[in-house]
Amino acid sequence: MKKNTVFDCSIVDLSKVHSDVGNITIVENNDYLPFAVKRIYYLYDVPGGEDRGGHAHYELEQYIVAASGSFDVVLDDSKNKQKLSLNRPYLALHIVPGIWRELNNFSSGSVCLVLASHEYDEKDYIRDYNAFLKYKK
Ligand code: TYD
């Protein structure tokens, strides 16, 4: 986890079942998912200009999906930074453990859906950026 870099994170095409009456994207604990989902949560009603995230995890990995609208994710492994814009409900950003992330530029009405590999555990968070840099050394 310590050695993970932003290049270990990737955009995964979850694909969609298209029809004239709307689309559907399915996520199952199968080949598309490199971890079993233990928790789902979603962020919404984020006021314009607000930032979320600002932490890393020791063990947790996640799929992050712009279920509606758009937002940006800045990934940081202490040496490299990468900014991605999420704006398609069939694309997931896989964030591996040991990566600092910040989410910003939320569009009005956007929904950030998160599939997580573990239940909530505050002990798994690194919330101090200097502590993160020290961990990654
Ligand atoms: P946090 O993970 O810091 O939010 P973000 O990274 O999106 O800015 O969580 C915000 C608050 O919500 C914090 O007090 C912890 C709480 N929380 C839970 O209780 N359970 C959860 O599964 C999550 C994700 C957060």
Side-chain angles (χ1 to χ4, degrees), residues 18 30 51 60 69 84 90 94 111 133:
H18 170 76
N30 64 13
D51 290 1
L60 187 84
L84 297 117
Y90 55 86
H94 179 207
V111 178
L133 294 180

Side-chain angles (χ1 to χ4, degrees), residues 39 57-58 60 118-125 127:
R39 176 168 52 115
H57 289 281
Y58 293 108
L60 187 84
H118 292 74
E119 282 146 15
Y120 175 73
D121 178 6
E122 187 58 36
K123 293 193 293 299
D124 190 59
Y125 279 76
R127 292 194 183 271

Side-chain angles (χ1 to χ4, degrees), residues 31-47:
D31 297 344
Y32 281 121
L33 269 167
F35 56 88
V37 176
K38 294 257 183 68
R39 176 168 52 115
I40 294 170
Y41 62 91
Y42 37 100
L43 287 171
Y44 53 96
D45 289 349
V46 179

